[in-house]
Amino acid sequence: MTCRACGGSRLSLVFSMDPMPLAGAFAVTRAAALAAERYPLEWHRCRDCGLVNAFPSIPERVIFADYSYRASDVPALVRHHREFADWLVKRFPDTRRMLEVGGNDGVLLRQLPDRWERTNSDPSDVAADCGFPLLGAWTQALGRAHRSEYDLIT
């Protein structure tokens, strides 16, 4: 087990929980909820960089294949992203290429100017319909961002 930020191996257990269903796995029936697969959840703090890591790592395909959570369905989140978009445009007026990591269904990207080339990085099934270029995995997004292909990353 290594730190996701620095790669260090000096991790200390902070907290451990009993196995539980994945967050965002909204079962349709009570029986389905009770039958849902459960996963352990532990937090470990890296003694080298301080990041608190969640373990074990659940594959993105397991978490996001049937995610069912769309941020655009929550009016308060739509308002929040509209206000955030207004702030971004004022703060970074010269932006040409923008990447949003974890953009879900594109709720923020839709609020930004059409003159911005907007890309979403989100492995969930709901992101596939966001209407913007999509990098499916966060690791792809961070690799591209490292090469400075974007003016702005949120």
Side-chain angles (χ1 to χ4, degrees):
M1 186 169 17
T2 59
C3 176
R4 290 182 180 97
C6 74
S9 59
R10 298 180 336 117
L11 302 174
S12 300
L13 180 65
V14 175
F15 192 73
S16 180
M17 297 181 73
D18 290 337
M20 66 187 70
L22 293 173
F26 302 110
V28 177
T29 65
R30 184 177 197 288
L34 293 172
E37 187 168 355
R38 287 167 163 57
Y39 299 87
L41 180 57
E42 295 181 344
W43 288 277
H44 294 258
R45 185 179 181 278
C46 177
R47 292 191 316 241
D48 294 322
C49 73
L51 180 72
V52 176
N53 295 259
F55 290 104
S57 294
I58 310 297
E60 289 178 356
R61 63 179 156 62
V62 172
I63 298 172
F64 297 112
D66 186 20
Y67 196 53
S68 74
Y69 172 76
R70 294 179 180 275
S72 294
D73 291 342
V74 182
L77 285 177
V78 174
R79 282 191 305 276
H80 163 75
H81 284 95
R82 186 178 310 115
E83 292 169 6
F84 185 44
D86 291 344
W87 180 84
L88 288 171
V89 170
K90 289 174 187 161
R91 177 70 175 88
F92 305 102
D94 298 328
T95 297
R96 291 174 293 116
R97 301 190 74 213
M98 186 260 195
L99 171 67
E100 183 177 24
V101 178
N104 192 261
D105 63 351
V107 63
L108 172 62
L109 298 175
R110 281 191 297 280
Q111 310 292 331
L112 295 166
D114 289 340
R115 70 179 183 275
W116 289 17
E117 182 181 325
R118 297 156 286 169
T119 301
N120 189 3
S121 176
D122 192 305
S124 70
D125 56 337
V126 300
D129 300 328
C130 73
F132 297 95
L134 180 65
L135 298 176
W138 289 317
T139 51
Q140 290 174 343
L142 297 176
R144 293 188 88 187
H146 179 69
R147 293 192 304 268
S148 301
E149 293 185 26
Y150 300 96
D151 303 314
L152 178 62
I153 301 170
T154 61

